[in-house]
Amino acid sequence: MSRLDATSLLSPSPTPPHKPTTPRRLICVVSSTLAALGAALSLLLLVVHSAPAPNYGSLFLSLASNDTAALHLRALTLHPHVAGTRANSLTAAYVRDAFSSLSIPAHITPYSVLLSYPIERSLSLTVPGRATTTSFALSQETYPNDPYASATAEVMRTFYAYAASGSVSAEAVYANYGREEDFAYLASRGIDVAGKVAVARYGRIHCEDIVHNARVAGAAAAVVYTDPLQYGGAPGEAWFPDSRWLPPTGVQVGSLFRGVGDPTTPLWASSEGCERVSVEEAMATDDMPGIPALPVSARDAAEIHAALGGDAAPVDWQGREGSPVYRLGPGPAILNLTYTGNDTMATIENVFAVIEGAEEPDRSQQRNGSYDRGWRPRRTIIFCSWDAEEYGLTGSTEWVEENREMLSSRAVAYLNVDVSVVGPVQDPDNSSQTVYDSWVKSNISPLIGRLGDGGSDFSAFVQHVGPGYPVYHSLYDDFVWMEKFGDPGFRRHAAVLSLQHDERHFLFAAASIWGMMALKLADEEILPFNYMSYPVELEAYTKVVENEVRGTVISCSPLHNAIRALKKATTKVNGERKELLRQLSSNQLRKDSMKIRTLNDRLMQAERAFTNREGLFKQEWFKHLVYGPSEQNDWESASYPGVDNAIVSARKDNTTESWKFVQHEIHRVARAITQASVVVVQH
């Protein structure tokens, strides 16, 4: 994709359910909550700026406020607000009202979706020969002088959304990170997981994939914990609130749904009166965990490990220095796990705010109210706050499914704020250099990565905070942690930072970087998309595929041929873009020229050519054939994901037909690349 931002042009993009007077085709869409509030204030000041046309980029950078980010974060984290609850509805209203207070039209769009809440859960440990049973409290302890202590009673009990209800009493087996290769290792050692309780730790893949792999291996239930190796710091080091590390009773909760959106409306939107599958049918799909599962703390897991027998686990399966030896089992530890969930329909609420644009810049001053006094973007900017992100990207997915055709023809870009750097923004940790300087010195490409890269959501600026985010999705993921350890003084929020809190997708970014990207996309006459790096990256991905299929009859020639054609096409369109920019700068070309409109249309549509309505092999909802989530780990990106899925299947089946299907997937990708070449150069 174009190397301006970390996004796909077909990523979820919001717009109001009613139709405002927006430009016919071009929409610049940005997603966040607190980031949007801060940036929107700065953008509003540009809107009402009455001075002669200034350098709006410089003016914008001067308007960012750390205090605004801190103010909204404090307000939004005073109480827990899980999706579908009254508290979350109040949160949505707060965000809407905050936008409205800036004179930016804002509204809420609700959807009825299947969510999941805990009713009852328990976990106990018994060991043959021991007279006593250890019953785990399954609670996270507060700390002295916790300013949020009064809200602790409102916190939902630790659980996994969509976990199957049931009771299991069986021997425990240690499964390391719960990856496919971890269960394969256990099988190679003759350790049968069938009917057992798999005990795994976070650290490599997310909970939904851990529990899925446990079920596939035959486990009757799963327990997942946060190991001090990743989340507890060095031996003897303090934990929150005295340091950034997760306390021993901390528990990371999450969702076990491996799909996206509302489970009762697969592939279509949860609009009013729509077709739905039943809750029972939705819960019976392969995307659901199918077994009971619970998240537990490091303290509880330590007791389980102490009771496990069998051979010692491999070195890379062990805990941090000084920890007891981890053993594989099975048994003699027996875990008695009970979980009863309430899988029910509930209302979620997306929030949207719109700064309307004008397709022709000479019309941008002809609106009423404060909008007719100063700057107005060439293209519409839409801010959004997605609800129920943690349940399965539910809010964004439902809106996109409801507006798919409109987005295909009108959306220019979608900005996710996790990683995005444009312009000379001062590094808050080193006043002698810009964020860009720090970015490059960190051995990261100076180009902003594309959405979906493994770890790209946090890769650049997590390095300012430190490796990992140890209190993620726990009781301690709050304002105090951010204020003390994440970003004291909220200086980094004026550069860029991402944070997820509770069940509404709160992605922070500072107005500076994130807003500058929005300004470029919304205001430049020619879209700032550069596809020149695409062929180079595709060649690199193709070499990976060649290594994967070495020794088979599979040929990657179709990919190489298609990439060569794309390289010629991108070179041609880049030259055309430079020439039009030259003509614009020398006043040889009007800003409303059809040449500009035609080029922008091609730049906008090029990325769409990489999509396919049939979707990825084994992941039909995902349509992009070049980038997408890995089928083995949906929090990790794969290049040519359909080809990758086909190779994994062929290795398991090892039949002529399965390898023939790999070749078919390669041809599918090659056709998409060829189509992109045609789109980008056609007139």
Side-chain angles (χ1 to χ4, degrees):
M1 79 184 56
S2 158
R3 294 310 300 266
L4 170 73
D5 58 273
T7 70
S8 164
L9 300 185
L10 284 182
S11 297
S13 309
T15 197
H18 58 282
K19 294 183 178 179
T21 54
T22 58
R24 181 177 298 176
R25 300 190 64 181
L26 300 180
I27 303 177
C28 172
V29 185
V30 290
S31 168
S32 85
T33 298
L34 302 179
L37 295 176
L41 175 59
S42 297
L43 288 171
L44 177 66
L45 293 175
L46 293 184
V47 168
V48 302
H49 196 280
S50 58
N55 180 331
Y56 287 115
S58 298
L59 176 60
F60 178 83
L61 291 176
S62 72
L63 298 174
S65 170
N66 302 345
D67 293 339
T68 299
L71 174 68
H72 289 305
L73 176 60
R74 186 185 296 277
L76 289 165
T77 57
L78 283 174
H79 300 278
H81 38 79
V82 176
T85 64
R86 172 169 168 72
N88 203 52
S89 182
L90 293 174
T91 300
Y94 175 95
V95 175
R96 178 202 59 203
D97 293 346
F99 278 120
S100 297
S101 71
L102 303 176
S103 300
I104 298 178
H107 67 278
I108 290 174
T109 299
Y111 292 98
S112 178
V113 301
L114 177 64
L115 299 183
S116 178
Y117 309 101
I119 296 176
E120 177 189 1
R121 80 270 195 276
S122 65
L123 181 68
S124 63
L125 168 68
T126 59
V127 179
R130 287 188 190 176
T132 60
T133 296
T134 301
S135 295
F136 298 109
L138 302 179
S139 63
Q140 304 180 84
E141 297 176 357
T142 59
Y143 54 90
N145 302 316
D146 179 2
Y148 289 91
S150 62
T152 301
E154 305 170 34
V155 174
M156 195 165 287
R157 291 172 291 180
T158 55
F159 79 113
Y160 279 139
Y162 305 110
S165 296
S167 295
V168 173
S169 180
E171 291 181 320
V173 174
Y174 176 46
N176 195 24
Y177 295 112
R179 300 166 296 183
E180 288 185 353
E181 55 263 42
D182 295 324
F183 286 104
Y185 174 79
L186 290 172
S188 72
R189 293 287 301 270
I191 298 174
D192 188 5
V193 180
K196 308 296 194 301
V197 178
V199 178
R201 57 183 175 175
Y202 287 102
R204 293 294 182 271
I205 60 177
H206 273 251
C207 55
E208 63 269 35
D209 293 308
I210 294 173
V211 176
H212 171 80
N213 293 339
R215 187 195 74 193
V216 170
V223 167
V224 185
Y225 72 98
T226 45
D227 197 299
L229 178 66
Q230 285 82 24
Y231 298 89
E237 192 170 355
W239 54 77
F240 182 76
D242 298 316
S243 81
R244 59 190 297 270
W245 299 106
L246 183 69
T249 62
V251 176
Q252 184 181 136
V253 300
S255 170
L256 301 184
F257 179 44
R258 299 179 78 234
V260 293
D262 175 18
T264 69
T265 57
L267 301 179
W268 66 90
S270 296
S271 53
E272 186 175 355
C274 70
E275 175 189 9
R276 294 184 185 274
V277 302
S278 68
V279 173
E280 293 73 21
E281 289 173 311
M283 293 299 295
T285 67
D286 190 57
D287 283 331
M288 292 298 181
I291 60 174
L294 285 174
V296 302
S297 67
R299 179 177 294 175
D300 293 346
E303 291 201 47
I304 298 172
H305 273 297
L308 277 172
D311 294 336
V315 173
D316 57 352
W317 286 42
Q318 295 296 327
R320 69 182 179 185
E321 183 181 351
S323 297
V325 174
Y326 290 178
R327 297 188 176 276
L328 299 174
I334 295 175
L335 288 176
N336 311 290
L337 185 155
T338 295
Y339 178 74
T340 303
N342 177 22
D343 305 309
T344 184
M345 301 303 294
T347 299
I348 63 171
E349 298 175 304
N350 293 333
V351 184
F352 301 107
V354 183
I355 297 178
E356 293 183 3
E359 206 165 3
E360 296 181 13
D362 61 341
R363 296 180 182 173
S364 64
Q365 305 294 324
Q366 299 176 6
R367 297 286 178 174
N368 59 8
S370 62
Y371 282 40
D372 64 1
R373 292 172 51 194
W375 173 83
R376 185 159 165 222
R378 179 184 178 95
R379 305 174 185 97
T380 295
I381 299 175
I382 304 178
F383 302 96
C384 67
S385 170
W386 302 124
D387 201 359
E389 189 269 351
E390 290 303 330
Y391 275 92
L393 309 177
T394 311
S396 59
T397 298
E398 295 313 310
W399 193 90
V400 170
E401 289 176 339
E402 188 172 35
N403 296 276
R404 183 182 294 114
E405 298 307 318
M406 181 277 292
L407 292 172
S408 294
S409 62
R410 294 172 61 189
V412 170
Y414 170 84
L415 296 185
N416 213 51
V417 302
D418 294 354
V419 175
S420 50
V421 173
V422 173
V425 180
Q426 188 180 64
D427 185 339
D429 291 332
N430 186 343
S431 60
S432 67
Q433 61 187 21
T434 66
V435 168
Y436 177 83
D437 296 329
S438 299
W439 184 290
V440 174
K441 290 179 181 178
S442 298
N443 295 318
I444 301 171
S445 168
L447 294 173
I448 294 173
R450 50 186 94 263
L451 186 67
D453 262 1
S456 69
D457 282 352
F458 303 95
S459 60
F461 290 92
V462 159
Q463 294 178 25
H464 283 302
V465 179
Y469 180 23
V471 298
Y472 178 73
H473 282 186
S474 73
L475 178 71
Y476 317 101
D477 182 355
D478 61 15
F479 182 87
V480 176
W481 189 91
M482 179 55 60
E483 186 178 45
K484 292 183 67 174
F485 305 109
D487 188 11
F490 287 82
R491 294 174 301 136
R492 297 179 186 125
H493 286 72
V496 65
L497 176 65
S498 65
L499 168 67
Q500 288 181 309
H501 186 86
D502 287 42
E503 301 303 326
R504 177 168 290 275
H505 200 194
F506 287 131
L507 289 176
F508 268 124
S512 308
I513 295 168
W514 177 79
M516 285 295 292
M517 293 181 70
L519 283 174
K520 285 178 68 70
L521 286 164
D523 230 25
E524 292 195 3
E525 286 81 7
I526 299 178
L527 291 173
F529 294 159
N530 180 0
Y531 290 93
M532 291 294 289
S533 66
Y534 226 134
V536 177
E537 294 183 16
L538 295 182
E539 282 290 1
Y541 304 149
T542 302
K543 289 179 181 177
V544 172
V545 173
E546 286 179 324
N547 290 333
E548 294 289 321
V549 300
R550 184 169 287 121
T552 72
V553 297
I554 303 301
S555 171
C556 290
S557 293
L559 288 174
H560 287 299
N561 293 336
I563 294 168
R564 278 194 292 270
L566 180 64
K567 185 175 182 179
K568 292 180 181 178
T570 57
T571 300
K572 181 177 179 180
V573 77
N574 196 54
E576 183 180 348
R577 181 176 181 274
K578 288 181 177 179
E579 173 57 22
L580 290 184
L581 286 172
R582 186 194 66 78
Q583 293 180 22
L584 276 171
S585 64
S586 60
N587 296 319
Q588 298 177 35
L589 187 69
R590 287 172 53 91
K591 293 182 178 181
D592 59 353
S593 168
M594 281 303 298
K595 289 184 178 180
I596 294 176
R597 178 59 178 266
T598 301
L599 176 59
N600 281 338
D601 287 349
R602 286 152 49 203
L603 291 172
M604 187 178 75
Q605 293 293 334
E607 187 78 27
R608 290 159 167 77
F610 293 107
T611 64
N612 184 285
R613 286 187 175 273
E614 296 176 2
L616 299 178
F617 171 53
K618 289 191 172 183
Q619 297 170 287
E620 290 76 12
W621 190 89
F622 298 97
K623 308 299 183 184
H624 204 291
L625 299 188
V626 175
Y627 299 104
S630 166
E631 202 268 333
Q632 288 72 47
N633 177 5
D634 64 6
W635 282 73
E636 181 178 89
S637 175
S639 303
Y640 302 154
V643 175
D644 184 60
N645 293 342
I647 291 173
V648 171
S649 293
R651 284 176 174 166
K652 290 179 179 178
D653 300 338
N654 200 26
T655 63
T656 301
E657 284 301 311
S658 64
W659 285 107
K660 184 178 179 181
F661 191 77
V662 173
Q663 189 67 68
H664 166 71
E665 285 295 309
I666 287 175
H667 278 291
R668 285 183 76 203
V669 177
R671 287 194 292 271
I673 297 172
T674 299
Q675 185 60 33
S677 301
V678 173
V679 169
V680 82
V681 297
Q682 69 182 2
H683 290 275

